[in-house]
Amino acid sequence: MRWRLSITWVFLALIIGAPRGQAVQKDGIEYPNFELTVSEEEREKIYTIISTMGEYNVFSLLTKSGELRRLGREVNHVPPLVFLGVAFDDPYLAECMGYIRNNPFKWAGFIDGLSSNITRDRDNGKLYQDLPGFADYLHSDYDQLYRHAQKGDWSKFVNCLIK
């Protein structure tokens, strides 16, 4: 019975997003692995924000702007790398991010909404602490992400994640 219970927990952990790897080594320093620590409700709100921005044209988004702002405020406490992790861990949302990038109006709004939180995390060191694990988690180029983070070029930072 105990064995069956532990398999159930492992299965549930895989479904809800257990960490993918072990600690990450970068420049001789061991960084913790990156985890998508969000509730299902937060994940759904992020999904709605990204999918709505990706699916709808600019004029339709104007009618949804109030809802998107409300959802944005409700997930504003989610660390920016976790928000991006949710967006790029899901194949459909990653595709939506490509659509957002291809529209200058949508892209500017997305980057503007992200920039203050990600700049805050960079300035207090949290971003650099999480960046090696984040890059490993999403199979992205750490050096490029780091270089854009140092410059505060969040548009290029996020663009590195779009495949």
Side-chain angles (χ1 to χ4, degrees):
M1 181 68 169
R2 183 181 299 253
W3 180 76
R4 191 176 303 161
L5 182 62
S6 63
I7 288 177
T8 302
W9 282 110
V10 169
F11 182 70
L12 285 173
L14 289 172
I15 290 173
I16 62 173
R20 288 189 180 157
Q22 301 301 314
V24 176
Q25 290 276 340
K26 187 72 181 158
D27 299 327
I29 300 170
E30 188 170 301
Y31 294 91
N33 62 347
F34 181 77
E35 299 180 42
L36 291 180
T37 52
V38 291
S39 70
E40 192 57 38
E41 182 181 347
E42 292 164 333
R43 186 180 295 268
E44 288 172 10
K45 289 175 182 177
I46 293 168
Y47 187 94
T48 300
I49 291 168
I50 301 298
S51 63
T52 301
M53 288 184 73
E55 293 169 1
Y56 289 90
N57 66 40
V58 174
F59 298 109
S60 297
L61 283 177
L62 290 174
T63 65
K64 297 189 172 297
S65 64
E67 177 189 2
L68 290 174
R69 279 194 208 104
R70 178 185 58 78
L71 291 171
R73 284 190 304 272
E74 291 175 8
V75 296
N76 192 49
H77 65 279
V78 173
L81 290 185
V82 172
F83 184 96
L84 291 171
V86 170
F88 287 101
D89 192 42
D90 180 288
Y92 179 70
L93 292 184
E95 184 179 342
C96 286
M97 287 300 300
Y99 298 145
I100 293 168
R101 179 197 51 198
N102 292 338
N103 183 299
F105 177 79
K106 293 178 184 182
W107 186 246
F110 180 81
I111 297 301
D112 186 50
L114 177 73
S115 64
S116 63
N117 285 346
I118 200 165
T119 298
R120 180 200 63 229
D121 277 9
R122 181 201 59 194
D123 293 348
N124 70 23
K126 176 91 171 109
L127 179 78
Y128 295 125
Q129 177 185 346
D130 293 341
L131 194 56
F134 174 77
D136 183 63
Y137 184 86
L138 292 177
H139 308 292
S140 297
D141 185 333
Y142 167 82
D143 294 324
Q144 276 189 332
L145 292 171
Y146 182 82
R147 190 170 41 256
H148 296 311
Q150 283 187 308
K151 295 176 185 174
D153 191 337
W154 305 123
S155 180
K156 287 183 180 175
F157 182 92
V158 178
N159 196 47
C160 287
L161 303 171
I162 298 174
K163 298 190 174 34

